[in-house]
């Protein structure tokens, strides 16, 4: 089983600042990596697929990069609606999720 | 629009089974597989298994092997997930998700509470 490790567990950021979230795979997943945003009581919302392609309707302030085992999600200028938990998902070998990064207001 | 609508919340006793349904609309049901994922309170998303709609090939996570059964009813465009031998640790929100490799479409979630 591929293990996905996200860091940090919690990120405290002020509105308007940049947030950088990391996701590491225990073995290569190529570019088969997606990022999701989840708010309390809601299903996950797809942000990024193919490691770097924004999903339909996702603002340009969200960007993804990386391949193989190291991936990054960057939110260039945090808006109030961006405070949430973010998960990475590898779908190279079935599915495995990271443990999540909570982005909270500083 | 593409949508997955799940059945309502359930309360079960330890040792019982639960069956959650997921009705698809807005696309050709047999063209995409369905994944099931659960999330215990305050925990990460956990993949449970997958079904190839139409062929009914399945793949289950080893964490649930022997306790989970995923099935479909193509005439009703509905997928089902049954989990048996429930214990308190199975209290969670259960989601279905369309297989796009990743998933762009998720059900709204079904809360299953296991309590004596």
């Amino acid at each position: 089983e591929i293990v996905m490790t996200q860091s940090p567990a919690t990120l405290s950021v002020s509105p308007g600042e940049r947030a950088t979230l990391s996701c590491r795979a225990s073995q290569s997943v190529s570019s088969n990596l997606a990022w999701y945003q989840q708010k309390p009581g809601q299903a996950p919302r797809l942000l990024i697929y193919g490691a770097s392609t924004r999903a339909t309707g996702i603002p340009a302030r969200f960007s993804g990069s990386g391949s193989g085992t190291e991936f990054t999600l960057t939110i260039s200028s945090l808006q109030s609606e961006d405070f949430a938990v973010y998960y990475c998902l590898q779908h190279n070998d079935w599915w495995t999720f990271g443990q999540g990064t909570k982005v909270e207001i500083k | 629009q593409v949508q997955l609508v799940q059945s309502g919340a359930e309360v079960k006793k330890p040792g019982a089974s639960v069956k959650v349904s997921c009705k698809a609309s807005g696309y050709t049901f047999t063209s995409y597989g369905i994944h099931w994922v659960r999330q215990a309170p305050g925990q990460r998303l956990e993949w449970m298994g997958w079904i190839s709609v139409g062929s009914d090939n399945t793949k289950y996570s080893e964490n649930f092997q022997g306790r989970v059964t995923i099935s479909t009813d193509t005439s009703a465009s509905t997928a089902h997930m049954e989990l048996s031998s429930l214990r308190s640790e199975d209290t969670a929100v259960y989601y279905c998700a369309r297989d796009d490799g990743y998933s762009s479409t998720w059900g709204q979630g079904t809360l299953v509470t296991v309590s004596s």
Side-chain angles (χ1 to χ4, degrees):
Chain A
E1 177 185 325
I2 298 175
V3 176
M4 305 300 291
T5 304
Q6 292 186 239
S7 61
T10 303
L11 190 57
S12 298
V13 187
S14 299
E17 289 188 340
R18 181 186 193 92
T20 302
L21 290 66
S22 295
C23 176
R24 174 177 293 176
S26 60
Q27 62 191 77
S28 176
V29 299
S30 186
S31 294
N32 295 312
L33 190 287
W35 289 94
Y36 290 88
Q37 177 193 69
Q38 189 179 35
K39 296 181 179 179
Q42 295 184 15
R45 173 195 182 199
L46 178 68
L47 299 175
I48 301 285
Y49 64 92
S52 61
T53 303
R54 274 190 305 278
T56 303
I58 301 302
R61 63 180 181 273
F62 291 92
S63 63
S65 64
S67 65
T69 62
E70 300 282 345
F71 301 90
T72 301
L73 174 70
T74 302
I75 311 171
S76 60
S77 176
L78 271 155
Q79 305 299 302
S80 57
E81 62 267 28
D82 301 335
F83 293 97
V85 179
Y86 292 82
Y87 292 95
C88 60
L89 163 69
Q90 72 79 21
H91 58 93
N92 192 64
D93 179 18
W94 301 105
W95 279 15
T96 318
F97 293 91
Q99 81 276 25
T101 291
K102 181 179 182 180
V103 177
E104 64 176 25
I105 300 174
K106 186 173 182 181
Chain B
Q1 73 281 22
V2 176
Q3 201 172 3
L4 297 174
V5 177
Q6 298 182 221
S7 51
E10 303 262 14
V11 179
K12 296 293 183 180
K13 293 193 182 302
S17 297
V18 68
K19 192 170 187 177
V20 179
S21 66
C22 169
K23 183 172 177 59
S25 61
Y27 72 97
T28 302
F29 183 57
T30 51
S31 294
Y32 296 84
I34 293 285
H35 292 272
W36 287 88
V37 173
R38 80 173 185 182
Q39 188 170 40
Q43 301 301 308
R44 77 168 75 188
L45 299 159
E46 181 178 23
W47 181 72
M48 300 180 69
W50 165 90
I51 188 164
S52 171
V53 178
S55 73
D56 280 350
N57 287 336
T58 54
K59 173 70 174 180
Y60 299 125
S61 166
E62 288 185 6
N63 294 340
F64 299 95
Q65 200 74 262
R67 286 209 301 143
V68 66
T69 303
I70 299 173
S71 59
T72 61
D73 177 354
T74 54
S75 67
S77 297
T78 300
H80 303 279
M81 186 284 300
E82 184 169 22
L83 188 62
S84 62
S85 302
L86 290 169
R87 35 205 188 232
S88 58
E89 310 89 89
D90 294 317
T91 294
V93 176
Y94 290 77
Y95 294 101
C96 60
R98 192 180 82 167
D99 181 19
D100 302 305
Y102 48 94
S103 178
S104 57
T105 305
W106 292 61
Q108 82 277 19
T110 296
L111 175 62
V112 175
T113 303
V114 182
S115 174
S116 54

